[in-house]
Amino acid sequence: MKDTLTFDQLPEAVTKMQEKLDIIEQLLLQRQVQSPEQDEIMPVAKAAIFLDLAVPTVYSKVCRKEIPVNKRGKRLYFYRSELTEWIKSGRKKTADEIQEDALKHLTTGSKKSKAF
């Protein structure tokens, strides 16, 4: 751990911190510029490949409104970012996460008063 800063060292420390923040900001901006494929628009065939599903399965999911889709005329289009979020939304919790949630519920839920 570093030594405690003195009052006289604060201006220099703030300057260094600002420089580091500027570097982090630049890295984040570069990352956004380098990943435009996140909003890539895909037709059904490409979406099926991305999802590792058969094309008829994709059509079936669209018909049952299970998957985010954009329709223009008779054509279906998918945003890569929306499909990624759709996949993430189906994440199953681990046993440890479920147990942690249950403990949180028991500790916070039992303190609530029931007014009837």
Side-chain angles (χ1 to χ4, degrees), residues 5 11-24:
L5 294 174
E12 184 181 342
V14 169
T15 301
K16 285 182 182 179
M17 191 179 337
Q18 183 62 47
E19 289 171 356
K20 289 181 180 184
L21 284 173
D22 289 342
I23 292 169
I24 292 170

XYZ file of all heavy atoms in Angstrom, residues 5 11-24:
119
model
N -0.961 10.491 1.400
C -0.600 11.741 0.751
C -0.662 12.896 1.734
O -1.520 12.940 2.614
C -1.561 12.032 -0.399
C -1.527 11.086 -1.580
C -2.639 11.424 -2.562
C -0.190 11.138 -2.273
N -2.243 18.205 -5.274
C -2.371 18.657 -6.668
C -1.727 17.689 -7.673
O -2.303 17.383 -8.711
C -1.665 20.011 -6.683
C -1.754 20.499 -5.278
C -1.665 19.258 -4.430
N -0.541 17.185 -7.330
C 0.131 16.249 -8.225
C -0.656 14.930 -8.329
O -0.804 14.361 -9.407
C 1.544 15.964 -7.722
C 2.339 15.070 -8.646
C 3.736 14.777 -8.111
O 4.215 15.500 -7.226
O 4.326 13.793 -8.605
N -1.205 14.455 -7.218
C -1.989 13.219 -7.216
C -3.256 13.377 -8.042
O -3.636 12.472 -8.796
C -2.328 12.819 -5.782
N -3.907 14.519 -7.932
C -5.125 14.767 -8.708
C -4.796 14.826 -10.197
O -5.534 14.288 -11.032
C -5.820 16.071 -8.233
C -6.925 16.479 -9.183
C -6.361 15.884 -6.827
N -3.672 15.440 -10.544
C -3.242 15.512 -11.943
C -2.997 14.115 -12.499
O -3.445 13.780 -13.594
C -1.957 16.364 -12.079
O -2.222 17.675 -11.576
C -1.510 16.457 -13.520
N -2.302 13.277 -11.742
C -2.046 11.901 -12.186
C -3.349 11.124 -12.337
O -3.526 10.360 -13.283
C -1.121 11.182 -11.190
C 0.314 11.621 -11.284
C 1.182 10.842 -10.315
C 2.622 11.307 -10.373
N 3.467 10.577 -9.421
N -4.270 11.338 -11.391
C -5.557 10.648 -11.458
C -6.329 11.092 -12.699
O -6.931 10.269 -13.388
C -6.380 10.932 -10.193
C -7.592 10.050 -10.080
S -8.622 10.275 -8.615
C -7.590 10.985 -7.403
N -6.293 12.372 -13.007
C -6.983 12.889 -14.195
C -6.372 12.304 -15.461
O -7.095 11.927 -16.380
C -6.916 14.424 -14.235
C -7.675 15.029 -15.397
C -9.153 14.729 -15.333
O -9.781 14.879 -14.298
N -9.722 14.297 -16.439
N -5.048 12.197 -15.499
C -4.391 11.598 -16.663
C -4.820 10.149 -16.847
O -5.094 9.705 -17.967
C -2.870 11.683 -16.502
C -2.313 13.086 -16.631
C -0.834 13.182 -16.258
O -0.247 12.158 -15.829
O -0.271 14.287 -16.382
N -4.893 9.409 -15.762
C -5.321 8.008 -15.842
C -6.770 7.899 -16.283
O -7.123 7.022 -17.080
C -5.105 7.312 -14.499
C -3.639 7.081 -14.193
C -3.432 6.373 -12.870
C -1.943 6.174 -12.610
N -1.690 5.420 -11.398
N -7.617 8.789 -15.790
C -9.017 8.792 -16.212
C -9.144 9.109 -17.698
O -9.970 8.520 -18.399
C -9.832 9.791 -15.385
C -10.172 9.355 -13.970
C -10.833 10.505 -13.206
C -11.076 8.144 -13.972
N -8.322 10.035 -18.188
C -8.335 10.359 -19.614
C -7.940 9.150 -20.448
O -8.537 8.880 -21.493
C -7.395 11.535 -19.906
C -7.924 12.867 -19.375
O -9.139 12.965 -19.085
O -7.101 13.803 -19.228
N -6.946 8.399 -19.985
C -6.515 7.193 -20.698
C -7.632 6.156 -20.716
O -7.927 5.553 -21.749
C -5.230 6.616 -20.059
C -4.057 7.564 -20.305
C -4.925 5.223 -20.602
C -2.815 7.232 -19.505
N -8.290 5.970 -19.588
C -9.404 5.010 -19.504
C -10.535 5.435 -20.435
O -11.106 4.607 -21.144
C -9.896 4.885 -18.045
C -8.831 4.201 -17.192
C -11.216 4.120 -17.982
C -9.118 4.239 -15.707
